[in-house]
Amino acid sequence: MREGLIPALLGTAVTATGAMLRTRYPMVGTAVLGFGAAHVVLGAIDLVEHRRSMS
């Protein structure tokens, strides 16, 4: 499995959960959304770096 794929997918799920939580619990939803977005970014960075090292 490609390095960085799991954090990116997990971050996507957490970001979606945070977006849904923002309607009922704005502060918690924003925190969860930010945490998920950070995982998406870090996973994407790993995917790009891994692609460069394979070439």
Side-chain angles (χ1 to χ4, degrees):
M1 184 172 278
R2 294 175 58 183
E3 187 177 341
L5 188 61
I6 292 174
L9 292 176
L10 181 65
T12 303
V14 173
T15 302
T17 303
M20 291 174 53
L21 280 173
R22 285 184 66 193
T23 58
R24 183 168 263 199
Y25 307 106
M27 296 288 284
V28 174
T30 302
V32 171
L33 190 127
F35 187 73
H39 274 77
V40 169
V41 169
L42 292 174
I45 290 170
D46 281 344
L47 283 169
V48 170
E49 284 184 355
H50 187 66
R51 180 179 293 191
R52 287 185 185 163
S53 66
M54 297 280 291
S55 300

